[in-house]
Amino acid sequence: MEGSVRGIWHGDAVDPAGDVLHRADEVPWSLQSLRHHFLAPGKQLCSYNFAVQARHGREKGESFYMLVQGTLKAATDLRRFGNDWIEFGWVKDLTVAGQNNAIINGQGAASWPFNKCPIRKDCKVLPISVLFVNNQNTVVRDIKSVNSKFFHIALLQSKNMKLINIQINAPENSPNTDGIHIERSTGVVISDTRISTGDDCISIGQGSDNIDIARVHCGPGHGMSIGSLGRYVDEGDVTRVHVRNMTFVGTMNGVRIKTWENSPTKSLAAHMLFENMVMKDVQNPIIIDQKYCPYYDCEHKHVSGVTLKDITFKNIKGTSSMPVAVLLRCGVPCQGVVLQDVDLKYMGEGGSSSKCENAMA
């Protein structure tokens, strides 16, 4: 056994089929004792998926604490997975904590060649390492995620989530290995975290509100992104985002807002503050791109349906590896864009510059 998970559960933990895995009042349990629910005899720990869900009818004050120790390894055979590997769903008052160098290893290197999403719109999405869906009042801390097949950690339709001291590592060329992805979630706090990966260190998707990010080191990777937004029908607004005290080292982007052209419906991205950032050899330290399209056959015929409003970049300093350090490429005019105390120097010959298109103060 290369790793273990122990916890104190007040309520029911169930597998996807609805079977009760354990009910206890302050009685520790482990994956070893639940082996028959997840692992065939003789199989390696966590070679199958792991899911925890909460049944209805829990009494007020019940909580769930899970302790991860050692290394948990995912299977390399993609046929064993659905959309994710480890899932926590419909749970309130959950704490997931690591101890003794807890590592969640997605063993993604064998799967990355099968990921066609960077070049095909109709690609098959690989499994997320850890998914939190419809959770409330959750704390995740002291966990390291390495070599995910797709996203390392994803938060979906969750409220009041705190991620503290998370370490994320994957090679710079690993596709779609976003560190932490947030979507349709509110009240999310990420702090004191270090992310090195092949895609966005942190990405905030549609329908998210009240996001607070502080003291995160990013690099290598694609930087910190709002979006992409505006690709699908009936996307929710993204509002009240505060990002501060981040450091970017050797990343493709620093802070980026990206929205698709030809949006099928209208939406809003507003009330965002990015402050106290350090950029070290970053290609695009500050970028708004409302003509985002990663594919070769992009038409660029229509403006984005996402309105950008009330966005401030404050006290952002460091170096850019490209001459254009600030690129504001708005479709419909961006409203209330403020750049204050921005000092970005080009690493090559000559000074740095900025380009603005349809950006209004």
Side-chain angles (χ1 to χ4, degrees):
M1 180 181 293
E2 295 192 56
S4 65
V5 179
R6 297 183 61 82
I8 297 174
W9 171 242
H10 302 265
D12 289 340
V14 303
D15 68 8
D19 296 324
V20 176
L21 300 182
H22 194 72
R23 184 184 180 106
D25 292 326
E26 300 185 353
V27 176
W29 55 266
S30 67
L31 276 182
Q32 180 69 11
S33 64
L34 302 176
R35 189 177 183 87
H36 63 283
H37 287 281
F38 294 111
L39 305 174
K43 297 292 184 180
Q44 185 178 4
L45 177 66
C46 280
S47 61
Y48 286 87
N49 297 355
F50 176 80
V52 174
Q53 300 176 348
R55 280 186 164 177
H56 298 293
R58 291 173 56 202
E59 295 182 3
K60 185 176 180 180
E62 293 180 324
S63 60
F64 180 24
Y65 182 92
M66 174 168 283
L67 181 65
V68 182
Q69 296 179 316
T71 299
L72 305 181
K73 289 186 177 181
T76 56
D77 186 352
L78 288 175
R79 293 174 296 180
R80 295 188 178 184
F81 296 92
N83 295 325
D84 53 66
W85 170 31
I86 300 171
E87 177 181 314
F88 298 91
W90 296 267
V91 182
K92 291 184 179 180
D93 304 314
L94 165 69
T95 297
V96 180
Q99 189 179 77
N100 300 331
N101 193 30
I103 299 174
I104 296 172
N105 187 345
Q107 300 202 108
S111 302
W112 295 330
F114 300 101
N115 184 353
K116 305 303 180 183
C117 291
I119 59 174
R120 291 182 55 179
K121 297 179 182 179
D122 58 346
C123 65
K124 177 177 174 56
V125 175
L126 300 187
I128 297 166
S129 275
V130 185
L131 174 65
F132 295 88
V133 56
N134 278 292
N135 287 351
Q136 293 186 38
N137 308 329
T138 296
V139 177
V140 185
R141 58 179 174 85
D142 307 327
I143 297 287
K144 183 175 183 178
S145 174
V146 301
N147 296 337
S148 61
K149 292 175 173 62
F150 202 66
F151 296 169
H152 286 264
I153 299 172
L155 315 180
L156 179 62
Q157 291 180 299
S158 294
K159 297 180 180 179
N160 301 328
M161 304 283 296
K162 291 185 178 180
L163 284 73
I164 305 165
N165 189 31
I166 306 299
Q167 310 294 318
I168 291 175
N169 288 97
E172 187 173 4
N173 62 350
S174 56
N176 297 115
T177 52
D178 291 42
I180 301 171
H181 178 71
I182 304 164
E183 189 158 326
R184 300 200 300 275
S185 295
T186 183
V188 177
V189 176
I190 301 172
S191 65
D192 304 296
T193 287
R194 194 175 189 94
I195 303 174
S196 303
T197 193
D199 210 292
D200 294 332
C201 290
I202 299 173
S203 55
I204 300 175
Q206 58 99 2
S208 298
D209 174 65
N210 190 21
I211 310 299
D212 184 47
I213 299 169
R215 300 180 301 279
V216 174
H217 183 283
C218 172
H222 291 184
M224 156 82 212
S225 287
I226 308 296
S228 60
L229 306 176
R231 185 177 183 182
Y232 302 107
V233 175
D234 295 330
E235 289 192 6
D237 298 339
V238 177
T239 54
R240 297 193 298 165
V241 176
H242 188 191
V243 183
R244 64 193 189 278
N245 303 108
M246 280 192 71
T247 300
F248 300 85
V249 179
T251 53
M252 178 183 296
N253 307 290
V255 178
R256 175 172 58 162
I257 301 173
K258 53 182 179 178
T259 74
W260 289 77
E261 294 180 300
N262 311 327
S263 304
T265 52
K266 305 291 186 181
S267 62
L268 175 71
H271 315 308
M272 302 182 187
L273 172 59
F274 305 93
E275 63 177 338
N276 305 331
M277 308 281 186
V278 176
M279 307 285 174
K280 298 181 180 179
D281 194 23
V282 175
Q283 290 184 37
N284 306 292
I286 298 174
I287 178 169
I288 293 177
D289 184 6
Q290 290 212 273
K291 297 182 179 180
Y292 174 77
C293 179
Y295 307 116
Y296 67 88
D297 58 345
C298 303
E299 295 182 344
H300 300 300
K301 288 185 176 180
H302 306 283
V303 297
S304 175
V306 182
T307 297
L308 303 186
K309 184 178 180 180
D310 184 21
I311 300 168
T312 298
F313 303 94
K314 180 180 178 181
N315 189 30
I316 299 179
K317 306 182 186 302
T319 57
S320 171
S321 63
M322 301 294 286
V324 179
V326 178
L327 175 60
L328 307 180
R329 192 186 187 195
C330 298
V332 293
C334 301
Q335 305 169 27
V337 178
V338 176
L339 286 89
Q340 179 180 345
D341 298 325
V342 175
D343 183 9
L344 297 166
K345 296 178 172 61
Y346 174 45
M347 295 284 290
E349 296 181 1
S352 60
S353 63
S354 63
K355 290 185 178 181
C356 298
E357 179 181 336
N358 291 330
M360 301 175 62

